[in-house]
Amino acid sequence: DAGVTQSPTHLIKTRGQQVTLRCSPKSGHDTVSWYQQALGQGPQFIFQYYEEEERQRGNFPDRFSGHQFPNYSSELNVNALLLGDSALYLCASSITGGANTEAFFGQGTRLTVV
Amino acid sequence: SQQGEEDPQALSIQEGENATMNCSYKTSINNLQWYRQNSGRGLVHLILIRSNEREKHSGRLRVTLDTSKKSSSLLITASRAADTASYFCATYWNTGGFKTIFGAGTRLFVKA
């Protein structure tokens, strides 16, 4: 089992550009959540996808959008990049459910906006 | 604002000592999870405690949960240099859908 895989691992983009990050969930998982982690901070919840729909969203602008495919993999898109978007972007997968849901994380994509 | 807040922000101890980290949260939860993160990499799940549980053990880890005080603690016994990492608590709760919310973390330094 490959666990959660994210690509690319590192990325440098210019302010104003657009970026797409990718995530493949752990086998058997149907829910994908995305987090942004600035240096020295805890992960901030961006949104969660289940059954190809955005189910939950954190306090992020519409520049942040996503998609989930029928195979449960997911993409995070960020438009009109700002310097402040530089961060580690983490993807987590889980099985949708109640009190015993454990999330598994990928190694993250380090995005640097210059 | 963050749902979970860890205390202390940073902790430095000698190898072999115990390390205790605390987490407070604001609303009712379904479960609380502790994660470890090494050098800004992905998070590793350590332990999950459900809202109806009070204590849980896993190897050198002991987690307690006090829902009346909305707080949890993580105890690492007989710490090792390899335990040096950031530790985060995450609360899993229903806000019209389930999501996991993280605190800012405790940075643990274990000196050999």
Side-chain angles (χ1 to χ4, degrees):
Chain A
D1 182 3
V4 181
T5 58
Q6 291 186 244
S7 63
T9 54
H10 293 84
L11 199 54
I12 300 175
K13 303 289 281 187
T14 302
R15 189 172 46 185
Q17 287 187 317
Q18 178 265 344
V19 69
T20 297
L21 310 182
R22 296 176 176 80
C23 172
S24 293
K26 182 178 171 64
S27 178
H29 285 190
D30 57 8
T31 300
V32 174
S33 302
W34 286 92
Y35 293 82
Q36 179 195 66
Q37 186 178 25
L39 198 62
Q41 301 296 316
Q44 298 283 327
F45 176 77
I46 303 175
F47 43 54
Q48 182 182 84
Y49 276 83
Y50 170 68
E51 290 189 339
E52 302 180 49
E53 290 189 357
E54 183 182 292
R55 182 164 69 171
Q56 286 279 286
R57 189 176 183 93
N59 189 26
F60 279 80
D62 292 344
R63 299 187 297 108
F64 289 78
S65 63
H67 189 77
Q68 185 179 36
F69 299 93
N71 66 354
Y72 306 118
S73 66
S74 176
E75 289 182 349
L76 164 65
N77 301 292
V78 186
N79 295 322
L81 285 167
L82 303 173
L83 297 180
D85 295 331
S86 296
L88 180 68
Y89 288 84
L90 295 163
C91 165
S93 73
S94 58
I95 299 172
T96 197
N100 200 25
T101 299
E102 176 184 332
F104 288 81
F105 283 79
Q107 290 298 304
T109 294
R110 174 74 61 185
L111 172 65
T112 302
V113 182
V114 297
Chain B
S1 62
Q2 299 278 24
Q3 159 75 329
E5 297 292 339
E6 289 92 341
D7 173 67
Q9 290 187 341
L11 179 61
S12 182
I13 60 175
Q14 292 290 137
E15 204 167 32
E17 294 181 337
N18 295 342
T20 300
M21 289 160 267
N22 302 296
C23 168
S24 60
Y25 57 92
K26 298 177 181 177
T27 68
S28 297
I29 60 172
N30 293 81
N31 67 54
L32 187 143
Q33 304 173 46
W34 284 91
Y35 289 83
R36 184 186 72 224
Q37 185 178 40
N38 292 85
S39 301
R41 302 188 68 189
L43 286 93
V44 175
H45 184 269
L46 296 176
I47 197 164
L48 179 153
I49 186 165
R50 303 182 201 184
S51 59
N52 61 353
E53 297 176 315
R54 292 297 168 257
E55 188 171 313
K56 205 162 182 180
H57 297 256
S58 176
R60 293 183 297 112
L61 306 180
R62 172 177 169 258
V63 169
T64 62
L65 179 64
D66 186 335
T67 53
S68 67
K69 295 181 180 178
K70 292 186 170 56
S71 67
S72 173
S73 67
L74 170 67
L75 168 67
I76 304 174
T77 60
S79 63
R80 306 165 181 168
D83 294 328
T84 295
S86 291
Y87 291 83
F88 296 92
C89 72
T91 51
Y92 186 72
W93 53 307
N94 188 354
T95 58
F98 291 98
K99 60 185 177 182
T100 300
I101 304 297
F102 287 82
T106 291
R107 282 137 194 88
L108 174 65
F109 302 91
V110 182
K111 294 177 283 188

